[in-house]
Amino acid sequence: MEDRIEIIEGDITRQKVDAIVNAANTSLLGGGGVDGAIHRAAGAELLEETRKIGGCPTGEARVSKGYCLPAKWVVHTVGPVWSGGRNDEDALLAGCYRSCFREAVKLGIKSIAFPSISTGAYRFPLDRATGIALTETRQFLLTNKTIAKVMFVCFGERVLNSYKKAYARIFG
Ligand code: ADP
């Protein structure tokens, strides 16, 4: 299973994978952080399509095309805003990863890249979030045979180190 997971430092908008995941907000109309970067790189057609989708609840995912991105698809998911941990944040974040994997299977794709959902503007504690990301990925890959590559694209060394620590704990 280990060779199906890749943890790298980089910019998710540059990844040549079948789908990249966007850490969107419930409106799906774009925003700051990775969401803004994806909309800028994909071009205005992305917003036209996400406007038609009409939003997405927290913990779920919706698919659009990738337009000018190297990736063919964008899986938009809405992470929870951290508010202390007593508002189902863990389960909602796990739901994001599960929903994204479900959409990836429906698309029949082989590779998908994730950013660190909820850990920027939404303030989810980083180590807790990367633990959930890799726990859900492990669970998924144990039974799935179609996805050959799951990438975690870390924006900066702090995120990279957190994924490496979580990986050692969960897969080591
Ligand atoms: P959220 O609102 O879900 O917290 P953010 O976009 O604010 O989403 O942050 C999520 C993560 O995405 C953070 O780790 C942030 O540093 C990272 N990020 C920002 N831009 C990019 C990018 N171009 N590629 C990959 N990750 C990015």
Side-chain angles (χ1 to χ4, degrees):
M1 191 194 313
E2 282 78 356
D3 56 336
R4 296 163 74 197
I5 297 179
E6 206 174 314
I7 297 167
I8 63 155
E9 194 174 346
D11 177 348
I12 201 163
T13 65
R14 310 287 289 268
Q15 303 307 313
K16 296 183 182 73
V17 285
D18 297 329
I20 63 169
V21 172
N22 182 16
N25 56 56
T26 54
S27 76
L28 299 186
L29 297 179
V34 73
D35 195 5
I38 288 172
H39 275 271
R40 277 194 299 278
E45 282 173 299
L46 177 59
L47 183 58
E48 269 175 49
E49 184 176 353
T50 57
R51 195 174 277 134
K52 287 184 194 133
I53 296 171
C56 176
T58 303
E60 295 189 18
R62 301 287 184 269
V63 172
S64 76
K65 289 189 268 183
Y67 300 99
C68 298
L69 291 163
K72 184 169 184 198
W73 305 103
V74 180
V75 182
H76 305 264
T77 190
V78 182
V81 177
W82 181 260
S83 58
R86 291 172 187 269
N87 289 300
D88 251 4
E89 291 97 323
D90 288 343
L92 288 165
L93 185 60
C96 288
Y97 287 93
R98 286 183 204 175
S99 303
C100 289
F101 286 130
R102 198 177 306 127
E103 295 303 325
V105 169
K106 277 202 262 174
L107 288 169
I109 61 174
K110 300 221 175 311
S111 57
I112 185 165
F114 286 90
S116 182
I117 300 162
S118 278
T119 65
Y122 284 2
R123 302 181 317 273
F124 203 106
L126 182 60
D127 289 347
R128 189 161 172 150
T130 56
I132 290 168
L134 291 182
T135 300
E136 291 305 322
T137 301
R138 182 172 177 278
Q139 275 313 111
F140 171 72
L141 291 177
L142 280 172
T143 53
N144 168 274
K145 297 284 168 258
T146 62
I147 307 278
K149 187 70 75 188
V150 179
M151 277 178 76
F152 294 93
V153 183
C154 307
F155 209 60
E157 207 177 358
R158 182 172 158 264
V159 178
L160 181 69
N161 288 336
S162 179
Y163 271 104
K164 284 184 176 168
K165 261 195 308 179
Y167 184 87
R169 190 170 75 243
I170 292 157
F171 292 90

